Amino acid sequence: MAVPRILIVGGGYVGMYTALRLQRRLRRGEALVTVADLDSYMTYQPFLPEAAAGNIEARHVVVPLRRVLNRCQILSGRITQVRLADRRAEFEPHEGPALTIAYDYLVMAPGSISRLLPIPGLAENGIGFKTIEEAIALRNHVLGRLDVAASTPDPEVRRRALTFVFVGGGYAGVEALAELEDMAADACKYFDGLSRADMRWVLVEATDRILPEVGPDMGRWTAQQLRQRGIEVRMGTMLKSAESCHIVLSDGEEFDTDTLVWTAGVKPHPLVRAGDLPVDEKGRVRVDAGMRMHGTDFAFAAGDCAAVPDLTRPGEFCPPNAQHAVRQARTLADNVLATLRGQPRRPYRHKYAGSVASLGLYKGVAQIYGRELRGFPAWFMHRTYHLMRMPTFNRKTRIVMDWTLGMFFPREIVSLGAIEEPRKEFTLSARS
Ligand SMILES: Cc1cc2nc3c(=O)[nH]c(=O)nc-3n(C[C@H](O)[C@H](O)[C@H](O)COP(=O)(O)OP(=O)(O)OC[C@H]3O[C@@H](n4cnc5c(N)ncnc54)[C@H](O)[C@@H]3O)c2cc1C
């Protein structure tokens, strides 16, 4: 009899942790686990702001799937469609012909994508903050803008280079802005004629609060802290247009910038709508509390792409965050195994514990089990909590080494933006 195949779509939080648990608990020859992801690594997203700020080396916030999932089959490429009717998925490797993958059990975990609005100029001039590529490109870009500002006599070019706009005041936007501003303020010391006060950092948020994850009081406190640092926190304001990098806000203000970061929320990955999966009106996969897809006995989904009932808040669904994703993965793996072995599944249940956020070196804010922390204790908790959660001893050690080195040496201030065009000089040489 053929060994059943468990196909996991996405090797992020849910995908990687599910596969890890399955490879540990499956008996030899019981099933083959295939993980398909666009990348060959899992990204620990809560550390992206620290990677952007240069506190953690970029490679240390990603986990190589082939190393940790050494008993799974890893496929790098894009799943373009998943069908339940004939238990097949279409897969496009990065090169070569597409193939059809047959599976017996399915775990859908492609996560979410940035929720863009039809704002003129946004898609052309903005950048998101969800991937390691975006975080590092942004770090290089910000440092590159300081280089530009310090090397031009033109006040208009300088003003534009030193204006940084972030849209969306959730943890991704606030942490990214706060960490990058902190890094840029530090870097200014090394740029002739530049000081923190020359930069303009703007946070645009449509609602009347920021950082809802830490509660209203801590959100207000965070806004106050950012303002004390000279950051403009504009709540109740929307981005109307960003054509040619000319920003128009809903309060009528207009200005130019070279940096527009869009962190105004996420939506379930559109892949879940590309086949015949049961999807709700918000584009999430419909699952029961055991994360089994409605109408099936072999397909599961969890994380940002799924509407997992929150049993601690009847009638509600788990919000899209890592805290749920990592715990759902554990229950999900057990339920896949239980299904495989004809045993009963168990429901997922976790009471949201709260959130921690870093706001730059030694600065943070947190709300855990109703307890509010601010400043250094919150920052320390942010680092300790995420370090504990970071997969593998190898990654944990490397991150501690990065932090330790950072205590003794100043941060790197070099922009390696040119790394994105490595053949530029060579091509120029060929022309001369
Ligand atoms: C900057 C930032 C900071 C955050 N901080 C926190 C925090 O402090 N606390 C917290 O709880 N949460 C935080 N989150 C949210 C958290 O990271 C997500 O909720 C979590 O990653 C969701 O897990 P997931 O497995 O559903 O998706 P992901 O971890 O995003 O994994 C999805 C995977 O699917 C892959 N994929 C996508 N499309 C395809 C395709 N077509 N074919 C194959 N593979 C595909 C992707 O490459 C990715 O590896 C943060 C998010 C960001 C962006």
Side-chain angles (χ1 to χ4, degrees), residues 10 12-14 37-38 45-46 79 109-111 129 171 269 303-304 321-323:
Y13 265 90
V14 170
D37 198 290
L38 299 170
Q45 289 174 347
I79 296 280
F129 198 80
Y171 46 45
H269 201 292
D304 287 9
N321 61 48
Q323 197 181 124

Side-chain angles (χ1 to χ4, degrees), residues 199-250:
M199 297 188 292
R200 181 177 184 198
W201 291 79
V202 186
L203 176 64
V204 179
E205 165 55 45
T207 69
D208 59 355
R209 60 195 279 200
I210 62 166
L211 224 51
E213 295 84 356
V214 294
D217 288 350
M218 288 294 89
R220 268 192 295 277
W221 179 84
T222 306
Q224 192 191 333
Q225 288 298 304
L226 296 179
R227 285 184 175 129
Q228 275 173 14
R229 279 161 60 174
I231 297 167
E232 292 174 37
V233 181
R234 304 173 82 123
M235 291 186 247
T237 309
M238 282 182 292
L239 177 68
K240 300 285 275 185
S241 163
E243 278 177 308
S244 308
C245 288
H246 180 71
I247 300 294
V248 181
L249 298 179
S250 58

